[in-house]
Amino acid sequence: MDKVRVIIAGPRGRMGKEAVKLVFHEEKFELVSVLDHKHDQKMLHEIDDFQLYENIPVYSNVEECLQKSNADVFVDLTTPEVGYLHTKTALQYGIRPVVGTTGFTQEQLIELKQLAEEKNIGCIIAPNFAIGAVLMMKFSQLAAKYFKDVEIIEMHHDQKLDAPSGTAVKTAEMISLSREKKQQGHPNESESITGARGANFDGMHIHSVRLPGLIAHQQVLFGADGQSLTIRHDSYNRSSFMSGVKLSIETVLAINTLVYGLENIID
Amino acid sequence: MDKVRVIIAGPRGRMGKEAVKLVFHEEKFELVSVLDHKHDQKMLHEIDDFQLYENIPVYSNVEECLQKSNADVFVDLTTPEVGYLHTKTALQYGIRPVVGTTGFTQEQLIELKQLAEEKNIGCIIAPNFAIGAVLMMKFSQLAAKYFKDVEIIEMHHDQKLDAPSGTAVKTAEMISLSREKKQQGHPNESESITGARGANFDGMHIHSVRLPGLIAHQQVLFGADGQSLTIRHDSYNRSSFMSGVKLSIETVLAINTLVYGLENIID
Amino acid sequence: MDKVRVIIAGPRGRMGKEAVKLVFHEEKFELVSVLDHKHDQKMLHEIDDFQLYENIPVYSNVEECLQKSNADVFVDLTTPEVGYLHTKTALQYGIRPVVGTTGFTQEQLIELKQLAEEKNIGCIIAPNFAIGAVLMMKFSQLAAKYFKDVEIIEMHHDQKLDAPSGTAVKTAEMISLSREKKQQGHPNESESITGARGANFDGMHIHSVRLPGLIAHQQVLFGADGQSLTIRHDSYNRSSFMSGVKLSIETVLAINTLVYGLENIID
Amino acid sequence: MDKVRVIIAGPRGRMGKEAVKLVFHEEKFELVSVLDHKHDQKMLHEIDDFQLYENIPVYSNVEECLQKSNADVFVDLTTPEVGYLHTKTALQYGIRPVVGTTGFTQEQLIELKQLAEEKNIGCIIAPNFAIGAVLMMKFSQLAAKYFKDVEIIEMHHDQKLDAPSGTAVKTAEMISLSREKKQQGHPNESESITGARGANFDGMHIHSVRLPGLIAHQQVLFGADGQSLTIRHDSYNRSSFMSGVKLSIETVLAINTLVYGLENIID
C-alpha cells in the first residue's frame, strides 16, 4: 500500500512538533512538506529543533505548498484565523484537511462542509485530539442515560487560572443531553463552608482541584443504589493528542463529508 | 398509565428479596404474586422477612401462578434448573420473562428465542443485572478499539475463592473481540517474584486483589502515549442489581424477541 | 492468659450491636454483662436481635451492673448525657472505661482524667473508632509538614445533609497544625461557575461529593513538583469501627491515665 | 541569614540537571561551583544545556573544587564508584555531603559515619529523594501495625523490564518489619489463570501493571472489616526528587552524624 502523503501546517507549535514527529516516524505516513509562515524555501532541518528531519521542504504560501506537495492530507495545527483559510484552500485543491484548531464560526463550518461534499472528500475538524478524553466524554453521555446522578472532579496543576476546566464543562454539557434532569444532592443539604458542594451545572456538581505536580486529570462519577461507575482520564503530556491525529488522518481518507469533533468518528 | 403487573419467582433468595422490595415500592409496577416452591396458598406477609408486604398471594406451581395472576412480566430469580422451565412456561402463557439466572445451554436459548418470536413477545435473560458493571464492560470493549494496551485490576473480599473473577474474565473476553491482538508489556520483561505481572489472558494482564473489607470492585486501565483511561465499577451491595431489573421490566414490554445480556438492551 | 472481662453499655445502638458481636466472638475477650436502661433482670438473648447471645445478664442500673460483673473494661456506646455518668461511675469502681461518645465538655474531660490518674487506671474516650480514618488524619498531618499544598475530597451518600463532613473538617484542622500556611491555587484564579474551587478552610480547599450508592469515603491529596501523594479511606459499614474498639480494650489495660482520641494511642 | 553555599557533583545527569536548577533558583541557596569530570576550568554556562547559569565555575578535581569553593554542602549525584570517594573527601574537608547514589557497601557506610562523627558534621545518603514515595513507605509501615492485610499495586510504563519495582519490594520489606505475619487471601483460594493473585512476598501480594503512558505510580491497599485505607504515590517526572534534595540540604546543616535514607530525617 502506498504511504499517505501528509502536509503539516504550524510545525513549530507544541502540537505541531508532536505531529511532525508522529507523521515522520509512522510507517504508513509520509511527511511531504510543512507550511510555516515564518520560513520559506528552507528545508525543515534548517529550522531549530528540527535538525533530524531531512528532505522536507518548507513553504510559507499555502497555495504553493498544496500545488507542489501532491499530498493526500493537510494537517492544520495553526490558529483559528489562518486555519479557516488553510482548510478552505486545501478543500479547493482536493486535499483532505485534518484540523486541530478551535474557534470556527457556525457559518464557516457550514460553508466548509458544503465545499467538502461538493469536492466529495473528507474533512475532520477536532478541537480535542486526545482520544481518551473524547471517550471519557462519550461514555459519560451514554452512562447518564442510566445513571442520573453524576458529579465531575477535574484536577489540574495550580497554574491554571480558570475553574472549572473547559473539558469539565464540555463533559457536563454532553451529559445534559442524555440524562433525565435532576437537581442532585439532598434537597435540604447545606454548606457549613461556602463552596463545599462545588459548582452547580444544570443540577450536576463540578469540583476543581488545583495542586502543583498535577497535569490534567478528570473523573466522572456516577452513583446509583449500591454501586458507582467512574470514568477517568489522565493526560500526562502533549503526546496524548497524537493518537487522535493519527486516527483522523486514517479516517479522513475514508469519508466524503466534514465531521466536527473526534467523538463523531469514534463509535 | 396502568401499572406493570409483575410476578416474582424465587423471592427468598438474595436477589429475590431485593426484587420484591423494588417491585412493591416502585410506582410504575405492581407486585401481583410470588412463586415459591416451598410455600403455597399462603400470603407473602406470612413468610419470614416479608411481614410488610400485604395482599400478595404465594403459589408453588408455576402454571397456577401464571393462570391466576394476570401478569405482564414474570421475573425469575431462581436456579438454572427450574429457571428454564419457568421461562418456557411463562412464554407459553404469553407472559414476558425477565430472567436473572445463568447456566442456560445454547440449545435452550435458541428454543426460548423461537418461542418468544412465535408468541411475538419479549424475553430478557441477563446473567448480570448491575448496569454499572455492564456499562464498564461495554465501554471497555469500545475503548479497546482505540487503545490496544489494557490491564484489568479486580478487587474483592478475601473470602472469594476463585481468581480472576468471572466479571474480569468476561470483560477480557469482550475486549478481545475488539482490540488489535497484542502481547503487552516489554518483550524482555521478567518477574523477580513469580506472578507479579498477573494472569495473562490473550496478551492482557489481569490482577486479583483480595482484602477483608472490600466488596466487589473492578478497574479497567487503558494506556497510550501520554495518557490513560480508566473505567471503574464499585459494587457495594446487592441492591446494585435492581436498576438492571427495573430497566429489564420496562424494556421487555417493548420488544418481541429474546435478548441475552443487559449489554444488548443498553446502547 | 485470662480473658478480658467486658461490660457493654448501649447494646441496642448501631455501634452497640457490632460491639456485642465483637466482644462475644473475640477469643481474648469475654462479654460478662450489658447495661441497657430499657431492660432489666433479663438475659440478653431475650431481647430482639440478640437471640444468639446466651448467658449474658442485662442490667439497667450502672452501679448494680458494675458491682455484679467483676469486669476489667466498661465499653460505653450510649449518649453524651449518660455516657459521662457511666464513665465516672466506672472509674470510681476501678473499672477501665472505653467510651465512644462525643460531646464531653472540657471540664468533664479534665475531671475524668484526674479521677483515672487517682485510681491509677486507664480510660480511653474516642469520638471515632475507625482506625483507618484516624490513620488517614494522622498521616495527613504528618505529610503536611513536607507538602504545603493539599486538597480534600470527601464523598458520601446523597442523604447526607451537611457539607463538608465532620471528618473532612477535622482532617483540615489537624493539617493546619503542621503545614506552613498557604493560600492555595493561583493568586489570580477565578471561577466561571461559583463554587468550583470548593470550600476554603485556612487556604486549603475541601470538596464534597454526594451520590447515591456511596457510603463514606475521603481522600486527601498532596501535590508538589512532579509528584502527588494521596491518602484515602473508604468506610463500607459500621463494622469498620470495631477494630478501634478492640484496640482500645487492649490498650486501656496498659495505661493509667485518660487518653482522648484514637490518634493518641496509635503511633 | 547567609545563603547556604552548595557544590553539585554530576550536573549533567538527569537528577544533576534538576538539582542545578533547584539550587540556582532557590533563594536560600547559592550554587558556588559544580564538579564534572568531563569539563575543567570552564564556566558552567559554556556547557550544553546550561547556557543560563552564569558565573558558576566548573572543576574536574574534587579536592580543588572543595578547596576553592568555600561551600557548606556538597551534593553528589554521580555514580557509586566516585560517589564514595567524593563523600569521603568532602567529609575530610569538613563539607557536609548530601548523596543521592545507591550501592554503598555496609563497610563504606560505617566508615563514612565514623568520619562524619569525628568531624562533627552531618552527612545524608538517600537512595530515593522523592519525599512522597518515602512518606508512602513510612505510612505503610505504620498502618501495617494495625492492618495486617495489605496488597501493593505498582504501575509503570511498559518499557520497564523488571517486576515488581524496587520501590514495591522496598515497601513490602518495610511493611514486613511491622505487621503481624499472615498469609493473605483465603486458604483455599485458587487461580484459574496462573499469576492472577500476583507475586507473594512474605504473605503479601504485589501486582505490577505495565502500560504505555504511565510514569511511576504505586498504591498500597490495607483492608479490614468494613473499611480500606489506601496510600498512593504518583511520580510524574524527575523534578519530584527535588523536594527531597532541598530538605536534605537544610537538614544536613543541623545534624552531626550520617543518616541513611530520607525516611530517617522525616518524622
Side-chain angles (χ1 to χ4, degrees):
Chain A
M1 202 185 75
D2 284 350
K3 292 187 177 194
V4 181
R5 296 173 59 84
V6 179
I7 297 166
I8 293 175
R12 283 177 295 106
R14 283 194 299 178
M15 283 189 58
K17 264 180 202 148
E18 292 286 339
V20 166
K21 197 163 98 181
L22 166 79
V23 172
F24 190 83
H25 289 108
E26 170 62 45
E27 217 172 303
K28 293 178 283 187
F29 300 159
E30 183 180 351
L31 181 60
V32 292
S33 67
V34 305
L35 177 66
D36 182 341
H37 70 97
K38 270 214 175 162
H39 298 90
D40 195 19
Q41 310 302 342
K42 277 194 184 163
M43 295 304 280
L44 182 56
H45 71 264
E46 297 174 79
I47 303 178
D48 268 7
D49 296 339
F50 293 98
Q51 289 86 336
L52 301 171
Y53 303 96
E54 307 216 324
N55 296 318
I56 316 291
V58 183
Y59 301 95
S60 68
N61 179 284
V62 61
E63 301 217 29
E64 184 189 357
C65 179
L66 289 162
Q67 284 160 7
K68 296 199 175 158
S69 301
N70 186 26
D72 302 304
V73 175
F74 178 88
V75 174
D76 192 275
L77 301 166
T78 60
T79 60
E81 298 77 45
V82 296
Y84 163 69
L85 185 67
H86 288 173
T87 305
K88 189 172 166 182
T89 311
L91 284 170
Q92 285 165 340
Y93 275 84
I95 313 301
R96 297 161 190 261
V98 165
V99 186
T101 48
T102 52
F104 285 79
T105 66
Q106 203 57 34
E107 289 70 34
Q108 289 175 332
L109 290 174
I110 290 169
E111 183 200 354
L112 294 170
K113 183 168 195 195
Q114 284 170 342
L115 188 52
E117 294 182 354
E118 228 168 71
K119 294 284 182 177
N120 201 32
I121 58 175
C123 175
I124 293 174
I125 301 180
N128 188 345
F129 275 122
I131 293 184
V134 172
L135 286 173
M136 173 183 60
M137 289 188 265
K138 200 177 171 83
F139 294 162
S140 297
Q141 185 174 28
L142 183 46
K145 289 172 66 174
Y146 303 99
F147 291 98
K148 60 180 180 289
D149 291 281
V150 53
E151 304 215 357
I152 298 171
I153 303 172
E154 53 94 346
M155 311 196 292
H156 286 82
H157 54 86
D158 64 348
Q159 296 308 299
K160 189 170 178 60
L161 293 175
D162 55 315
S165 70
T167 299
V169 172
K170 179 82 192 298
T171 306
E173 286 169 354
M174 286 179 66
I175 288 173
S176 281
L177 297 175
S178 68
R179 87 166 183 144
E180 188 183 322
K181 211 173 164 66
K182 179 175 177 186
Q183 180 58 49
Q184 285 177 215
H186 193 285
N188 299 329
E189 72 178 5
S190 72
E191 292 174 339
S192 63
I193 310 177
T194 308
R197 289 286 289 120
N200 188 330
F201 181 98
D202 196 31
M204 278 172 269
H205 292 252
I206 306 177
H207 310 270
S208 300
V209 173
R210 297 290 175 265
L211 284 171
L214 292 178
I215 307 161
H217 318 261
Q218 180 174 303
Q219 43 188 320
V220 186
L221 294 96
F222 293 91
D225 268 11
Q227 66 185 314
S228 57
L229 175 71
T230 306
I231 303 163
R232 175 175 178 136
H233 184 249
D234 293 273
S235 179
Y236 300 116
N237 61 54
R238 193 110 340 217
S239 71
S240 64
F241 295 116
M242 290 308 111
S243 51
V245 171
K246 188 179 163 215
L247 179 68
S248 296
I249 293 174
E250 291 165 349
T251 305
V252 80
L253 295 167
I255 60 177
N256 47 15
T257 183
L258 181 149
V259 174
Y260 185 83
L262 215 56
E263 62 272 26
N264 294 309
I265 63 168
I266 280 173
D267 57 352
Chain B
M1 202 185 75
D2 284 350
K3 292 187 176 193
V4 182
R5 296 173 59 85
V6 179
I7 297 167
I8 292 174
R12 283 176 295 107
R14 283 194 299 177
M15 284 190 56
K17 263 180 201 148
E18 292 286 340
V20 164
K21 196 162 99 182
L22 167 78
V23 172
F24 190 84
H25 290 107
E26 170 62 44
E27 217 173 303
K28 292 180 281 186
F29 300 159
E30 183 180 349
L31 180 61
V32 292
S33 66
V34 304
L35 177 66
D36 183 342
H37 69 99
K38 268 214 177 161
H39 297 90
D40 195 18
Q41 310 302 342
K42 276 195 186 161
M43 296 303 281
L44 184 55
H45 69 264
E46 297 174 79
I47 303 179
D48 268 7
D49 295 339
F50 293 97
Q51 289 86 339
L52 300 170
Y53 302 96
E54 306 215 327
N55 296 318
I56 315 293
V58 183
Y59 300 96
S60 68
N61 178 284
V62 63
E63 300 218 28
E64 185 188 356
C65 178
L66 290 161
Q67 284 161 4
K68 295 199 175 158
S69 301
N70 188 25
D72 301 304
V73 175
F74 177 88
V75 174
D76 191 275
L77 301 167
T78 61
T79 60
E81 298 78 45
V82 296
Y84 164 68
L85 186 67
H86 288 173
T87 306
K88 189 171 167 183
T89 311
L91 284 170
Q92 285 163 339
Y93 276 84
I95 312 302
R96 295 160 191 261
V98 166
V99 185
T101 49
T102 52
F104 285 78
T105 66
Q106 204 57 33
E107 291 70 34
Q108 289 175 330
L109 290 173
I110 291 170
E111 184 199 354
L112 294 170
K113 183 167 196 199
Q114 285 171 341
L115 189 51
E117 295 183 352
E118 227 168 73
K119 293 284 181 176
N120 201 33
I121 59 175
C123 175
I124 293 173
I125 301 180
N128 189 344
F129 275 122
I131 293 184
V134 172
L135 286 173
M136 172 182 62
M137 289 187 264
K138 202 178 169 81
F139 294 163
S140 297
Q141 187 175 28
L142 183 45
K145 289 173 66 175
Y146 304 99
F147 291 97
K148 61 180 179 288
D149 290 282
V150 54
E151 304 215 357
I152 298 171
I153 303 172
E154 54 93 346
M155 311 195 293
H156 286 82
H157 53 85
D158 65 349
Q159 296 307 300
K160 189 171 178 60
L161 293 175
D162 55 314
S165 71
T167 298
V169 173
K170 180 83 192 295
T171 306
E173 286 170 353
M174 287 178 65
I175 288 173
S176 280
L177 297 176
S178 67
R179 86 166 184 145
E180 188 184 322
K181 211 172 165 66
K182 179 176 178 184
Q183 181 57 49
Q184 286 177 215
H186 193 284
N188 299 328
E189 73 178 4
S190 71
E191 293 175 338
S192 63
I193 310 178
T194 308
R197 288 287 287 118
N200 187 330
F201 181 99
D202 195 31
M204 279 173 267
H205 292 252
I206 306 176
H207 310 270
S208 300
V209 173
R210 298 289 176 266
L211 284 171
L214 292 178
I215 307 163
H217 318 260
Q218 181 175 304
Q219 43 189 320
V220 186
L221 295 97
F222 294 91
D225 268 11
Q227 67 186 315
S228 57
L229 175 70
T230 307
I231 303 164
R232 176 177 178 137
H233 184 249
D234 294 272
S235 179
Y236 300 116
N237 61 53
R238 194 102 349 209
S239 71
S240 64
F241 295 116
M242 290 309 110
S243 49
V245 171
K246 188 178 163 214
L247 178 69
S248 296
I249 293 174
E250 290 164 350
T251 305
V252 80
L253 295 168
I255 60 177
N256 46 15
T257 183
L258 181 148
V259 174
Y260 184 84
L262 215 57
E263 61 273 26
N264 294 310
I265 63 169
I266 281 172
D267 57 355
Chain C
M1 201 184 76
D2 284 351
K3 293 187 176 194
V4 182
R5 297 174 59 84
V6 179
I7 297 167
I8 293 175
R12 283 176 295 107
R14 285 195 300 179
M15 284 189 57
K17 264 181 201 147
E18 292 286 341
V20 165
K21 198 162 96 181
L22 167 78
V23 173
F24 190 83
H25 289 107
E26 171 61 43
E27 217 172 302
K28 293 179 280 187
F29 299 160
E30 182 180 349
L31 181 60
V32 291
S33 67
V34 304
L35 177 66
D36 183 341
H37 69 97
K38 268 214 177 162
H39 297 90
D40 194 19
Q41 309 302 340
K42 275 194 186 164
M43 294 304 279
L44 183 55
H45 72 263
E46 298 174 80
I47 303 179
D48 268 6
D49 296 340
F50 293 97
Q51 287 87 339
L52 300 171
Y53 302 96
E54 305 215 324
N55 296 319
I56 315 293
V58 182
Y59 300 95
S60 69
N61 178 284
V62 63
E63 301 218 27
E64 185 188 356
C65 179
L66 289 162
Q67 285 160 5
K68 295 198 177 161
S69 300
N70 187 26
D72 300 305
V73 176
F74 177 89
V75 175
D76 192 276
L77 302 165
T78 61
T79 61
E81 297 79 42
V82 296
Y84 164 67
L85 185 67
H86 287 173
T87 305
K88 189 171 167 182
T89 310
L91 284 170
Q92 284 165 339
Y93 276 85
I95 313 301
R96 294 160 191 262
V98 166
V99 185
T101 49
T102 52
F104 285 78
T105 66
Q106 203 58 32
E107 288 72 31
Q108 289 175 332
L109 290 173
I110 290 170
E111 184 200 353
L112 294 170
K113 183 168 195 197
Q114 285 170 340
L115 189 51
E117 295 182 352
E118 228 168 73
K119 292 284 181 177
N120 201 33
I121 58 175
C123 175
I124 293 173
I125 301 181
N128 189 344
F129 274 121
I131 292 183
V134 172
L135 286 174
M136 172 182 62
M137 289 188 266
K138 201 177 171 84
F139 294 162
S140 297
Q141 186 174 28
L142 183 46
K145 289 172 65 174
Y146 303 99
F147 291 98
K148 60 180 180 286
D149 290 281
V150 52
E151 304 215 356
I152 298 171
I153 304 172
E154 53 93 347
M155 311 195 291
H156 287 82
H157 54 84
D158 65 350
Q159 297 307 300
K160 189 170 177 61
L161 292 175
D162 56 315
S165 70
T167 299
V169 172
K170 179 81 193 297
T171 306
E173 286 170 354
M174 286 179 66
I175 288 172
S176 281
L177 296 177
S178 66
R179 87 168 183 141
E180 189 183 323
K181 212 172 163 67
K182 179 177 178 185
Q183 180 58 49
Q184 286 177 214
H186 194 284
N188 298 328
E189 73 178 4
S190 72
E191 293 175 338
S192 63
I193 311 178
T194 308
R197 288 287 287 119
N200 187 330
F201 180 99
D202 195 31
M204 278 172 268
H205 292 251
I206 306 176
H207 310 270
S208 301
V209 173
R210 298 288 175 267
L211 284 171
L214 292 178
I215 307 163
H217 318 261
Q218 179 173 305
Q219 43 189 318
V220 186
L221 295 96
F222 293 91
D225 267 12
Q227 68 187 315
S228 56
L229 175 70
T230 307
I231 303 163
R232 176 176 178 136
H233 184 249
D234 294 273
S235 179
Y236 300 117
N237 61 53
R238 194 110 337 218
S239 71
S240 65
F241 295 116
M242 290 309 110
S243 49
V245 171
K246 188 178 163 214
L247 178 69
S248 296
I249 292 173
E250 291 164 349
T251 305
V252 81
L253 294 168
I255 60 177
N256 47 13
T257 182
L258 180 149
V259 174
Y260 184 83
L262 215 56
E263 61 272 27
N264 294 309
I265 63 169
I266 280 172
D267 57 354
Chain D
M1 202 184 76
D2 283 351
K3 292 189 178 194
V4 181
R5 296 174 59 86
V6 180
I7 297 167
I8 293 174
R12 284 177 294 106
R14 284 194 299 179
M15 283 190 57
K17 265 182 199 145
E18 293 286 339
V20 165
K21 197 163 98 182
L22 166 79
V23 172
F24 191 84
H25 290 107
E26 171 61 44
E27 218 173 301
K28 294 178 281 186
F29 300 160
E30 183 180 349
L31 181 60
V32 291
S33 66
V34 305
L35 177 66
D36 183 342
H37 69 99
K38 270 212 176 164
H39 297 90
D40 195 19
Q41 309 303 340
K42 277 195 186 160
M43 295 304 281
L44 183 56
H45 71 263
E46 297 174 79
I47 304 179
D48 268 7
D49 296 340
F50 293 97
Q51 289 86 338
L52 301 169
Y53 302 95
E54 307 215 324
N55 296 318
I56 315 291
V58 182
Y59 300 96
S60 67
N61 178 285
V62 62
E63 301 217 27
E64 184 188 359
C65 179
L66 289 161
Q67 284 160 5
K68 296 198 176 160
S69 301
N70 186 26
D72 301 304
V73 176
F74 178 88
V75 174
D76 192 276
L77 302 166
T78 60
T79 60
E81 297 77 46
V82 296
Y84 163 68
L85 186 67
H86 287 173
T87 305
K88 189 171 165 182
T89 311
L91 284 170
Q92 284 164 339
Y93 277 83
I95 313 302
R96 296 160 191 261
V98 165
V99 186
T101 48
T102 52
F104 285 79
T105 66
Q106 203 58 32
E107 289 69 34
Q108 289 175 331
L109 290 173
I110 289 169
E111 183 200 354
L112 293 170
K113 183 166 196 202
Q114 284 170 340
L115 189 51
E117 295 183 351
E118 226 167 76
K119 294 284 182 176
N120 200 34
I121 58 176
C123 175
I124 293 174
I125 301 181
N128 189 344
F129 275 122
I131 293 184
V134 172
L135 286 174
M136 173 182 61
M137 289 187 266
K138 202 177 170 81
F139 294 163
S140 297
Q141 186 174 27
L142 183 45
K145 289 173 64 174
Y146 304 99
F147 291 98
K148 61 179 178 288
D149 290 281
V150 53
E151 304 214 356
I152 298 171
I153 303 173
E154 54 93 346
M155 311 196 292
H156 287 82
H157 54 85
D158 65 348
Q159 296 308 299
K160 189 170 178 61
L161 292 175
D162 55 315
S165 70
T167 299
V169 172
K170 179 83 192 296
T171 306
E173 286 170 353
M174 286 179 66
I175 288 172
S176 281
L177 296 177
S178 66
R179 86 166 184 144
E180 188 183 324
K181 211 171 165 67
K182 179 177 178 185
Q183 180 57 49
Q184 285 177 215
H186 194 284
N188 298 328
E189 73 178 5
S190 71
E191 293 176 337
S192 63
I193 310 178
T194 307
R197 288 287 286 119
N200 187 330
F201 181 99
D202 195 31
M204 279 173 267
H205 292 253
I206 306 176
H207 310 271
S208 301
V209 173
R210 297 290 175 266
L211 284 171
L214 291 178
I215 307 162
H217 318 262
Q218 180 174 304
Q219 43 189 318
V220 186
L221 295 96
F222 293 91
D225 268 12
Q227 66 186 315
S228 56
L229 175 70
T230 307
I231 303 163
R232 176 177 178 137
H233 184 249
D234 294 272
S235 179
Y236 300 117
N237 61 53
R238 194 110 338 216
S239 72
S240 64
F241 295 116
M242 289 308 112
S243 49
V245 172
K246 187 178 165 216
L247 179 69
S248 297
I249 293 174
E250 291 164 349
T251 304
V252 81
L253 295 168
I255 60 177
N256 47 14
T257 182
L258 180 149
V259 174
Y260 184 82
L262 216 56
E263 61 274 25
N264 295 309
I265 63 169
I266 281 173
D267 55 354

